[in-house]
Amino acid sequence: MPAFPTAAREAVGNKTLRANLRHATHTIRDKRARAVAELDDWDQLREAGKRIKDETLRHLDRHLIQLEESVTAAGGTVHWAADADEANRIVTALVKATGETEVVKVKSMATQEIGLNEALEAEGIHAYETDLAELIVQLGKDRPSHILVPAIHRNRGEIREIFAREMSEWGRPAPDGLTDTPAELAEAARLHLREKFLRAKVGVSGANFMVAETGTMVVVESEGNGRMCLTLPETLISVVGIEKIVPTWRDLEVFLQTLPRSSTAERMNPYTSMWTGPSQEDGPSTFHLVLLDNGRTDTLADEVGRQALRCIRCSACLNVCPVYERAGGHAYGSVYPGPIGAILSPQLRGTQSEIDASLPYASSLCGACYEVCPVAIDIPEVLVHLRERVVQGGEVTRHGTRVTLRPAKGHAAERAAMRAAGWAFGRPGALRAGQRLASGTRRFHPRTLPGPGRAWSATRDLPKVPAEPFRDWWRRTNGGRAEKGDKK
Amino acid sequence: MRVALFLTCVNDTLYPDTGRAVVKLLTRLGVDVDFPMAQTCCGQAHYNTGYRHQAEPLARHFSDVFGSDEYDAIVTPSGSCGAMVRELYPRMGERARSEGRGDGLATTLAPVVPKTYELTEFLVDILGVTDVGAYYPHTVTYHPTCHGLRSLGLGDRPTRLLQAVKGLELRALPGADECCGFGGTFAMKNSDVSSAMGTDKVRNAESTGADTLCAADNSCLMHIGGTLTRLKSGVRPVHIAEILASTEEDPLS
């Protein structure tokens, strides 16, 4: 993946993409604002959600052990995966043990994070995404670009085209003469998917929440496809990040109010599925839970950055972010795009790669993301914290060990400029000399700048340097008191 | 009341007219204004770009310059530099403490934090005025800059002040709470996205038909203004201090 600015440049130049994104994000952000305004205790809910998550994270080890005990007591099996490879190996082995070569999937960013579909494919197992937007992405051989609406970058015409071209490759073809009306597109997807639901013996899911006290998994969704995936197969394998845990059922009350309103602007989501272990009468008779770490414990060790683990994946921050709106989700080079992705990905993956080192800068620090976050993640604070890591290096935890990072490459000139500015600002005399030099040479200032400044002057005019900086005026006129009289 | 003007390095160097307007306005309102000559920069650019350790000496310097008891308040015509002092200085002190460096930084910075006010905040909350006796016979649209809006929570203070200006017609800016795309070094590091945001802000401002775009932060106005002139727009970017300082006897030219 190229660094964010390069990837974003392409998106900014794509008019269709920008129009799709603008329309979708503005529609949903306005709806969200109305849905949130209905609750007069929103601020208390937000504070409660933040507190529950923080306290849970503080004692995460204890809650996870309780969860393992509860799931096991309910007849499920718990697996611990330290990283993506281990998680993929576990799931692949579990599917192979059933003798099946097809799985249906729903609601799992965690499996995208670890690249499970590709790992299964390598072992001859086909994984079918069944969330409508995920289906569009998979059929289009595309990547998701939004947490909640992975196909947000596509319009109806593009979706019709993808369905007509690709569905037959994967199963039931799209009906002849398919148009781009939402009802027809939904019906085509419904028929295509229904065939897969009825055939599938193995389901793979994620979970929005895991309740430690009872070992209950919770999935909230809008389409009912999740319910199909969670109830029709004989074996259900859920891959869930360890931060998705809440201690008690009572804690869910807060999130079942804040999540739907923040994400889809609904008072309540249409489907909330909860299951506790397998069932011999109805639903899957075998249940496996794969608890995924993959950088989460390392993130927890960072006292500023750990708040990113409060995230409940509502995507409200994406929908208000002016940078996301123009750059699109793909530019973030991660399954988690937008402001939350910009702080989560470089923590889960480290800041070594070019894309990860560029993500903390993919923000103007306008603060709109923090304002809408239902668990009050101070995203700008974490962005600045990660910028520090990129330019200065420092101590971080990787794979459970404290290591010292070196500063990322490509910041030497900036570091020198910051140091020079720091030096001048430490000496008022030097600042004044610099200002006078700038004023004295103002007639010779170029209209366009060299070096990093070129990026500025390509689209914006520079301000004209005034003939006299303020401090000289103040001194000359004694703070304006002598202005109308003789010049001193 | 004796006030220290924290003009900010950007205004001092590039927008001295804003500083002169603040002096004129506050003096008219009976405030004794001083400009401590040793002031330089609050350290925001360093801090926000990831150079927190290099921002620390600048914050200490700020406290040395402005921490004096002789000032009742520190007033700045910049929402983002005001937010740096009020919101981020305490955080810097806290971080130094958590890094095992003791309370030194927090103690040094503490005196300036509660005394620092953004200009419109100072006028409305401390001086208790909304009609400052200004005259500006123009149509104006107001852009609430992000740090003023979200970090300082300026709310409707700036628009209340503008509405009381004689001759001024205020027009609502569509998408007012959306960032203009400046964001300090963001404007250079992510220039394409920044420019796209700036262009949208300019188009929104033009759609109001106003002849003036007003804001309480010259950094954002520099970005918007640079875009306005490049797009050959007739809208004029003006800092709110210059409108509030403008009177019938001595109008803003």
Side-chain angles (χ1 to χ4, degrees), chain A residues 465-483:
Chain A
V465 174
E468 182 184 51
F470 177 85
R471 63 182 62 224
D472 284 5
W473 171 82
W474 179 274
R475 184 163 299 192
R476 180 170 64 74
T477 65
N478 187 23
R481 284 174 275 265
E483 187 159 35

Side-chain angles (χ1 to χ4, degrees), chain A residues 43-61:
Chain A
D43 291 339
Q44 286 105 298
L45 282 168
R46 186 175 187 244
E47 185 56 32
K50 172 189 174 185
R51 214 178 47 240
I52 292 168
K53 281 281 180 180
D54 274 352
E55 283 174 14
T56 309
L57 288 167
R58 194 167 299 133
H59 306 288
L60 188 61
D61 51 348

Side-chain angles (χ1 to χ4, degrees), chain A residues 435-458:
Chain A
Q435 286 173 339
R436 284 189 164 167
L437 180 68
S439 290
T441 57
R442 59 200 288 261
R443 283 184 299 128
F444 309 111
H445 290 179
R447 294 299 305 271
T448 54
L449 288 171
R454 190 182 299 139
W456 175 278
S457 53

Side-chain angles (χ1 to χ4, degrees), chain B residues 139-153:
Chain B
T139 46
V140 176
T141 191
Y142 178 74
H143 165 58
T145 59
C146 299
H147 292 171
L149 182 71
R150 301 196 181 88
S151 305
L152 292 177

Side-chain angles (χ1 to χ4, degrees), chain A residues 9 326 361 363-364 366 378 387-388 414 418 425 428 435 455 457-461 466 470-471 483, chain B residues 12-13 20 37-40 46 48 51-52 91 150 179 189-192 194-195 200 223 226 229-230:
Chain A
R9 183 176 308 134
R326 287 158 184 97
Y361 295 94
S363 165
S364 65
C366 81
D378 191 339
R387 289 176 183 190
E388 188 177 327
E414 176 188 280
M418 287 291 174
F425 287 138
Q435 286 173 339
S457 53
T459 56
R460 288 151 290 204
D461 288 330
F470 177 85
R471 63 182 62 224
E483 187 159 35
Chain B
D12 180 8
T13 309
R20 293 157 73 145
M37 276 292 184
Q39 66 179 280
T40 56
H46 287 80
N48 279 346
Y51 298 88
R52 175 168 56 93
R91 196 174 284 174
R150 301 196 181 88
C179 177
K189 285 176 185 286
N190 280 287
S191 181
D192 298 279
S194 166
S195 297
D200 289 347
H223 168 75
T229 56
R230 183 63 62 93

